Protein backbone atom coordinates (compact mmCIF):
# COMPACT_ATOMS: atom_id res chain seq x y z
CA UNK A 1 0.00 0.00 0.00
CA UNK A 2 1.20 3.51 -0.84
CA UNK A 3 2.44 5.75 1.96
CA UNK A 4 0.11 8.56 3.04
CA UNK A 5 1.55 12.08 3.17
CA UNK A 6 -0.09 14.98 4.99
CA UNK A 7 0.92 18.42 3.70
CA UNK A 8 -0.03 21.53 5.68
CA UNK A 9 -0.17 24.83 3.80
CA UNK A 10 -0.99 22.80 0.69
CA UNK A 11 -2.44 25.78 -1.19
CA UNK A 12 0.68 27.88 -0.79
CA UNK A 13 3.77 28.05 -2.98
CA UNK A 14 5.90 25.27 -1.50
CA UNK A 15 2.98 23.18 -0.25
CA UNK A 16 1.24 22.96 -3.63
CA UNK A 17 4.50 22.17 -5.43
CA UNK A 18 5.21 19.42 -2.90
CA UNK A 19 1.72 17.95 -3.33
CA UNK A 20 2.19 17.83 -7.10
CA UNK A 21 5.59 16.16 -6.71
CA UNK A 22 4.16 13.49 -4.36
CA UNK A 23 1.06 12.82 -6.49
CA UNK A 24 3.25 12.23 -9.54
CA UNK A 25 5.14 9.67 -7.45
CA UNK A 26 1.79 7.89 -6.84
CA UNK A 27 1.56 8.67 -3.14
CA UNK A 28 -1.73 9.36 -1.38
CA UNK A 29 -1.75 13.01 -0.29
CA UNK A 30 -3.97 14.82 2.21
CA UNK A 31 -3.67 18.60 1.97
CA UNK A 32 -4.60 21.05 4.73
CA UNK A 33 -4.90 24.82 4.36
CA UNK A 34 -6.98 27.59 5.93
CA UNK A 35 -6.66 29.74 2.76
CA UNK A 36 -5.41 32.76 4.72
CA UNK A 37 -2.65 33.34 2.16
CA UNK A 38 -2.85 30.20 -0.03
CA UNK A 39 -5.06 29.83 -3.11
CA UNK A 40 -7.27 26.90 -4.16
CA UNK A 41 -6.16 27.69 -7.73
CA UNK A 42 -2.85 26.06 -6.82
CA UNK A 43 -4.54 22.71 -6.20
CA UNK A 44 -7.63 22.80 -8.45
CA UNK A 45 -6.20 20.45 -11.07
CA UNK A 46 -5.28 17.90 -8.40
CA UNK A 47 -8.90 16.75 -8.75
CA UNK A 48 -7.65 14.49 -11.54
CA UNK A 49 -5.84 12.46 -8.88
CA UNK A 50 -8.04 10.07 -6.88
CA UNK A 51 -5.23 9.94 -4.35
CA UNK A 52 -5.59 13.61 -3.31
CA UNK A 53 -7.97 15.01 -0.71
CA UNK A 54 -8.25 18.54 0.68
CA UNK A 55 -9.32 19.65 4.15
CA UNK A 56 -9.93 23.33 4.86
CA UNK A 57 -8.53 23.71 8.35
CA UNK A 58 -6.47 26.10 10.47
CA UNK A 59 -3.57 24.27 12.13
CA UNK A 60 -3.82 26.39 15.29
CA UNK A 61 -6.80 24.16 16.11
CA UNK A 62 -6.31 20.42 16.73
CA UNK A 63 -7.23 18.08 13.88
CA UNK A 64 -8.07 14.39 13.67
CA UNK A 65 -7.49 12.43 10.48
CA UNK A 66 -9.42 9.18 9.98
CA UNK A 67 -6.50 7.53 8.27
CA UNK A 68 -3.02 6.35 9.18
CA UNK A 69 -0.48 8.98 8.15
CA UNK A 70 3.11 7.99 7.41
CA UNK A 71 4.75 11.34 6.66
CA UNK A 72 3.87 14.94 7.55
CA UNK A 73 5.30 17.97 5.76
CA UNK A 74 4.48 21.10 7.76
CA UNK A 75 4.55 24.16 5.46
CA UNK A 76 1.69 26.18 7.01
CA UNK A 77 3.08 29.69 7.51
CA UNK A 78 2.62 33.34 6.66
CA UNK A 79 6.01 33.34 4.98
CA UNK A 80 6.10 36.55 2.96
CA UNK A 81 6.85 39.97 4.51
CA UNK A 82 3.50 41.42 3.41
CA UNK A 83 1.75 38.58 5.23
CA UNK A 84 3.59 38.43 8.53
CA UNK A 85 3.49 42.21 8.88
CA UNK A 86 -0.29 42.11 8.26
CA UNK A 87 -0.83 39.07 10.52
CA UNK A 88 1.83 39.29 13.26
CA UNK A 89 -0.06 37.45 16.02
CA UNK A 90 -1.40 34.84 13.62
CA UNK A 91 2.15 34.24 12.38
CA UNK A 92 3.34 33.51 15.91
CA UNK A 93 0.35 31.27 16.66
CA UNK A 94 0.89 29.21 13.49
CA UNK A 95 4.57 28.71 14.33
CA UNK A 96 3.88 27.80 17.96
CA UNK A 97 0.40 26.33 18.59
CA UNK A 98 0.01 25.18 14.99
CA UNK A 99 3.36 23.40 14.98
CA UNK A 100 2.63 21.63 18.26
CA UNK A 101 -0.74 20.42 16.94
CA UNK A 102 1.04 18.92 13.93
CA UNK A 103 3.71 17.32 16.13
CA UNK A 104 0.97 15.76 18.26
CA UNK A 105 -0.65 14.39 15.12
CA UNK A 106 2.72 12.96 14.10
CA UNK A 107 3.07 11.32 17.50
CA UNK A 108 -0.42 9.81 17.26
CA UNK A 109 0.45 8.28 13.87
CA UNK A 110 4.08 7.42 14.59
CA UNK A 111 4.82 9.44 11.45
CA UNK A 112 7.98 11.12 10.21
CA UNK A 113 7.48 14.89 10.52
CA UNK A 114 9.39 17.49 8.51
CA UNK A 115 8.90 21.10 9.57
CA UNK A 116 9.71 23.95 7.20
CA UNK A 117 12.02 26.38 8.93
CA UNK A 118 13.86 29.15 7.15
CA UNK A 119 17.19 30.86 6.63
CA UNK A 120 15.57 33.75 8.53
CA UNK A 121 16.45 31.97 11.79
CA UNK A 122 19.98 33.25 11.08
CA UNK A 123 18.69 36.84 11.04
CA UNK A 124 21.15 39.43 9.72
CA UNK A 125 24.07 36.98 9.97
CA UNK A 126 27.49 37.66 11.38
CA UNK A 127 28.68 34.32 9.95
CA UNK A 128 28.99 33.88 6.20
CA UNK A 129 28.13 31.49 4.65
CA UNK A 130 25.67 30.18 7.23
CA UNK A 131 26.19 26.71 8.72
CA UNK A 132 23.55 24.83 10.70
CA UNK A 133 25.70 25.31 13.82
CA UNK A 134 25.28 29.12 13.65
CA UNK A 135 22.82 30.48 16.25
CA UNK A 136 21.87 33.58 14.33
CA UNK A 137 21.55 37.33 14.86
CA UNK A 138 17.83 38.02 15.27
CA UNK A 139 16.04 41.06 16.69
CA UNK A 140 13.02 39.57 18.49
CA UNK A 141 11.23 42.94 18.76
CA UNK A 142 11.98 44.18 15.24
CA UNK A 143 9.47 44.10 12.37
CA UNK A 144 10.75 40.73 11.16
CA UNK A 145 10.76 39.27 14.68
CA UNK A 146 7.29 37.73 14.48
CA UNK A 147 8.34 35.51 11.57
CA UNK A 148 11.92 34.85 12.67
CA UNK A 149 10.91 33.93 16.22
CA UNK A 150 7.92 31.86 15.08
CA UNK A 151 10.34 29.72 13.09
CA UNK A 152 12.93 29.60 15.88
CA UNK A 153 10.21 28.41 18.26
CA UNK A 154 9.08 25.89 15.63
CA UNK A 155 12.62 24.49 15.66
CA UNK A 156 12.78 24.43 19.46
CA UNK A 157 9.49 22.62 20.04
CA UNK A 158 10.20 20.18 17.20
CA UNK A 159 13.54 19.32 18.81
CA UNK A 160 11.82 18.94 22.20
CA UNK A 161 9.30 16.48 20.73
CA UNK A 162 12.15 14.51 19.21
CA UNK A 163 14.24 14.44 22.40
CA UNK A 164 11.45 13.97 24.94
CA UNK A 165 8.89 11.93 22.99
CA UNK A 166 11.17 10.25 20.43
CA UNK A 167 9.19 11.64 17.51
CA UNK A 168 11.03 11.20 14.18
CA UNK A 169 11.45 14.85 13.15
CA UNK A 170 13.39 16.82 10.52
CA UNK A 171 14.04 20.57 10.45
CA UNK A 172 14.58 22.06 6.98
CA UNK A 173 16.08 25.55 6.86
CA UNK A 174 14.91 26.74 3.46
CA UNK A 175 16.80 29.50 1.63
CA UNK A 176 14.98 31.79 -0.80
CA UNK A 177 13.07 29.27 -2.87
CA UNK A 178 11.31 30.61 -5.98
CA UNK A 179 9.37 29.42 -9.01
CA UNK A 180 5.87 28.79 -10.38
CA UNK A 181 2.89 29.19 -8.01
CA UNK A 182 4.37 32.15 -6.19
CA UNK A 183 1.89 35.00 -5.78
CA UNK A 184 2.29 38.16 -7.84
CA UNK A 185 2.10 40.35 -4.73
CA UNK A 186 4.19 38.00 -2.62
CA UNK A 187 6.44 40.81 -1.46
CA UNK A 188 9.65 38.89 -2.16
CA UNK A 189 12.29 39.97 -4.66
CA UNK A 190 11.74 37.63 -7.62
CA UNK A 191 7.93 37.88 -8.01
CA UNK A 192 8.15 41.62 -7.27
CA UNK A 193 10.76 42.30 -9.96
CA UNK A 194 9.19 40.03 -12.59
CA UNK A 195 5.73 41.53 -12.26
CA UNK A 196 7.02 45.09 -12.08
CA UNK A 197 8.88 44.54 -15.36
CA UNK A 198 5.96 42.74 -17.03
CA UNK A 199 3.78 45.77 -16.20
CA UNK A 200 6.47 48.37 -17.01
CA UNK A 201 6.37 49.64 -13.44
CA UNK A 202 9.30 50.96 -11.42
CA UNK A 203 11.61 48.22 -10.11
CA UNK A 204 11.68 48.70 -6.35
CA UNK A 205 15.06 47.96 -4.79
CA UNK A 206 15.44 48.38 -1.05
CA UNK A 207 18.79 49.77 0.05
CA UNK A 208 21.54 50.10 -2.56
CA UNK A 209 21.00 46.62 -4.04
CA UNK A 210 24.37 45.26 -2.89
CA UNK A 211 22.78 42.94 -0.30
CA UNK A 212 23.02 39.31 -1.38
CA UNK A 213 20.65 36.36 -1.60
CA UNK A 214 21.00 32.74 -2.72
CA UNK A 215 18.04 31.63 -4.85
CA UNK A 216 16.99 27.99 -5.08
CA UNK A 217 14.55 26.90 -7.79
CA UNK A 218 11.48 25.20 -6.37
CA UNK A 219 12.06 21.84 -8.10
CA UNK A 220 15.45 21.60 -6.39
CA UNK A 221 13.99 22.66 -3.05
CA UNK A 222 11.21 20.05 -3.25
CA UNK A 223 13.67 17.29 -4.18
CA UNK A 224 15.83 18.20 -1.17
CA UNK A 225 12.84 18.24 1.19
CA UNK A 226 11.64 14.87 -0.10
CA UNK A 227 15.05 13.29 0.42
CA UNK A 228 15.17 14.83 3.90
CA UNK A 229 11.79 13.50 5.08
CA UNK A 230 12.75 10.04 3.83
CA UNK A 231 16.07 10.16 5.70
CA UNK A 232 16.95 9.12 9.25
CA UNK A 233 18.51 12.47 10.18
CA UNK A 234 16.72 14.46 12.93
CA UNK A 235 18.42 17.84 13.10
CA UNK A 236 18.50 21.03 11.00
CA UNK A 237 19.73 20.89 7.41
CA UNK A 238 20.10 23.88 5.08
CA UNK A 239 18.15 23.43 1.85
CA UNK A 240 19.26 26.10 -0.59
CA UNK A 241 21.55 27.07 -3.44
CA UNK A 242 25.05 28.22 -2.41
CA UNK A 243 25.40 30.48 -5.49
CA UNK A 244 25.16 34.03 -4.17
CA UNK A 245 23.96 37.10 -6.09
CA UNK A 246 23.44 40.76 -5.25
CA UNK A 247 19.95 42.13 -5.72
CA UNK A 248 21.28 44.32 -8.55
CA UNK A 249 22.65 41.22 -10.28
CA UNK A 250 19.25 39.54 -9.92
CA UNK A 251 17.56 42.54 -11.57
CA UNK A 252 19.99 42.31 -14.50
CA UNK A 253 19.23 38.60 -14.93
CA UNK A 254 15.50 39.35 -15.11
CA UNK A 255 15.99 42.40 -17.36
CA UNK A 256 17.74 40.19 -19.88
CA UNK A 257 14.69 37.91 -20.01
CA UNK A 258 11.87 40.50 -20.13
CA UNK A 259 11.42 43.30 -22.63
CA UNK A 260 10.47 46.17 -20.33
CA UNK A 261 10.68 49.94 -19.94
CA UNK A 262 10.91 49.70 -16.16
CA UNK A 263 13.38 51.91 -14.30
CA UNK A 264 15.04 51.16 -10.98
CA UNK A 265 13.72 53.05 -7.96
CA UNK A 266 15.73 52.80 -4.75
CA UNK A 267 13.92 52.80 -1.39
CA UNK A 268 15.00 52.67 2.24
CA UNK A 269 16.28 49.28 3.38
CA UNK A 270 13.82 47.80 5.92
CA UNK A 271 15.01 47.39 9.51
CA UNK A 272 16.99 44.18 10.15
CA UNK A 273 16.94 43.21 6.46
CA UNK A 274 19.80 40.69 6.05
CA UNK A 275 22.85 42.10 4.25
CA UNK A 276 24.05 38.68 3.13
CA UNK A 277 22.54 35.23 2.72
CA UNK A 278 24.31 32.08 1.55
CA UNK A 279 23.82 28.51 2.77
CA UNK A 280 26.61 26.12 3.56
CA UNK A 281 25.12 22.88 2.17
CA UNK A 282 27.88 20.50 3.24
CA UNK A 283 25.41 18.57 5.43
CA UNK A 284 22.81 18.27 2.65
CA UNK A 285 25.44 16.97 0.24
CA UNK A 286 26.76 14.48 2.80
CA UNK A 287 23.54 13.20 4.40
CA UNK A 288 20.95 13.62 1.65
CA UNK A 289 23.27 13.29 -1.36
CA UNK A 290 21.50 16.42 -2.60
CA UNK A 291 22.50 19.69 -4.20
CA UNK A 292 20.61 22.06 -6.50
CA UNK A 293 20.89 21.58 -10.26
CA UNK A 294 18.78 24.35 -11.85
CA UNK A 295 20.75 27.46 -12.83
CA UNK A 296 19.25 30.87 -11.98
CA UNK A 297 18.68 31.81 -15.63
CA UNK A 298 16.68 28.63 -16.33
CA UNK A 299 14.65 28.95 -13.14
CA UNK A 300 13.84 32.59 -13.86
CA UNK A 301 12.66 31.72 -17.40
CA UNK A 302 10.22 29.15 -15.99
CA UNK A 303 9.00 31.60 -13.35
CA UNK A 304 8.53 34.41 -15.89
CA UNK A 305 6.56 32.04 -18.16
CA UNK A 306 4.32 31.17 -15.22
CA UNK A 307 3.55 34.83 -14.47
CA UNK A 308 2.93 35.64 -18.15
CA UNK A 309 0.49 32.71 -18.35
CA UNK A 310 -1.28 33.69 -15.13
CA UNK A 311 -1.80 37.42 -15.59
Amino acid sequence: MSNVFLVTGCCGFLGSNMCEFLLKKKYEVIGIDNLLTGSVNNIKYFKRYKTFSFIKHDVIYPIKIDKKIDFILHFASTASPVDYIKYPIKTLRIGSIGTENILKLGLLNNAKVLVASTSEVYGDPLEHPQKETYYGNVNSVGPRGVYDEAKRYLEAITTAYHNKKELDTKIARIFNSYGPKMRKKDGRAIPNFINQMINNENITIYGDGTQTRSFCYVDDTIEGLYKFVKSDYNYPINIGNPKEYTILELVEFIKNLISSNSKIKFSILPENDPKVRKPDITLARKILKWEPKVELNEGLKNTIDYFYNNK
Side-chain angles (χ1 to χ4, degrees):
M1 183 179 284
S2 173
N3 289 136
V4 177
F5 280 78
L6 178 76
V7 179
T8 73
C10 71
C11 295
F13 164 54
L14 278 180
S16 59
N17 274 289
M18 178 57 83
C19 286
E20 184 174 7
F21 175 89
L22 294 170
L23 289 167
K24 286 178 177 176
K25 283 189 173 289
K26 311 292 186 189
Y27 289 113
E28 183 173 349
V29 179
I30 301 168
I32 293 177
D33 205 298
N34 68 349
L35 302 179
L36 179 68
T37 59
S39 171
V40 287
N41 287 333
N42 284 337
I43 64 165
K44 63 183 179 183
Y45 64 92
F46 295 170
K47 290 176 184 176
R48 74 180 78 164
Y49 295 99
K50 292 180 181 177
T51 52
F52 179 77
S53 57
F54 171 65
I55 302 169
K56 185 180 178 185
H57 181 80
D58 189 328
V59 295
I60 69 168
Y61 302 104
I63 185 170
K64 289 184 179 179
I65 306 290
D66 299 326
K67 186 169 284 196
K68 172 71 172 72
I69 298 161
D70 302 291
F71 297 91
I72 299 176
L73 294 148
H74 179 40
F75 295 118
S77 177
T78 45
S80 110
V82 294
D83 295 331
Y84 61 69
I85 287 168
K86 185 177 180 181
Y87 304 110
I89 296 170
K90 187 75 172 179
T91 298
L92 287 160
R93 286 170 67 84
I94 293 167
S96 56
I97 301 166
T99 298
E100 185 162 15
N101 283 334
I102 294 306
L103 293 169
K104 286 177 179 176
L105 187 63
L107 208 57
L108 196 64
N109 284 270
N110 193 29
K112 288 192 173 192
V113 182
L114 179 143
V115 297
S117 187
T118 171
S119 60
E120 295 304 317
V121 298
Y122 298 124
D124 187 9
L126 304 178
E127 173 181 297
H128 192 67
Q130 294 81 56
K131 293 187 181 75
E132 290 86 351
T133 50
Y134 178 51
Y135 297 153
N137 178 37
V138 173
N139 177 7
S140 62
V141 296
R144 305 172 73 95
V146 292
Y147 181 64
D148 297 357
E149 297 296 358
K151 291 298 189 180
R152 285 161 72 91
Y153 181 89
L154 165 144
E155 291 197 7
I157 195 162
T158 299
T159 303
Y161 264 73
H162 171 67
N163 291 337
K164 191 73 176 176
K165 298 179 182 290
E166 298 183 350
L167 182 62
D168 190 348
T169 58
K170 295 91 179 52
I171 298 168
R173 290 180 181 162
I174 300 167
F175 281 69
N176 296 93
S177 190
Y178 73 98
K181 296 186 181 176
M182 291 189 96
R183 291 177 300 157
K184 290 179 186 177
K185 298 188 183 296
D186 180 89
R188 286 176 274 200
I190 286 178
N192 270 9
F193 295 157
I194 290 173
N195 286 291
Q196 285 167 347
M197 289 189 214
I198 285 174
N199 296 306
N200 291 304
E201 298 169 352
N202 284 335
I203 302 162
T204 308
I205 291 182
Y206 297 101
D208 61 6
T210 58
Q211 64 271 39
T212 68
R213 295 294 182 269
S214 300
F215 302 101
C216 190
Y217 188 60
V218 66
D219 289 3
D220 285 330
T221 303
I222 294 299
E223 180 72 33
L225 295 173
Y226 175 72
K227 287 188 171 185
F228 194 2
V229 80
K230 286 279 191 167
S231 77
D232 294 321
Y233 192 74
N234 297 115
Y235 300 99
I237 294 183
N238 290 335
I239 301 292
N241 194 320
K243 291 185 178 178
E244 184 182 17
Y245 300 94
T246 68
I247 296 300
L248 285 171
E249 286 173 331
L250 172 65
V251 168
E252 285 306 310
F253 266 100
I254 299 173
K255 269 184 164 182
N256 289 334
L257 297 170
I258 297 176
S259 177
S260 174
N261 297 318
S262 297
K263 307 293 183 188
I264 291 175
K265 179 186 176 184
F266 291 95
S267 293
I268 297 170
L269 188 71
E271 186 181 353
N272 305 134
D273 196 67
K275 310 300 186 300
V276 291
R277 184 71 87 231
K278 177 182 178 179
D280 182 314
I281 62 167
T282 303
L283 260 183
R285 286 185 173 121
K286 179 182 176 183
I287 293 165
L288 307 180
K289 304 293 185 279
W290 171 88
E291 62 182 339
K293 299 181 179 69
V294 180
E295 294 293 337
L296 183 60
N297 216 48
E298 181 187 346
L300 286 174
K301 283 179 185 176
N302 295 341
T303 310
I304 289 165
D305 287 346
Y306 170 79
F307 283 121
Y308 267 120
N309 294 327
N310 291 272
K311 281 187 176 182

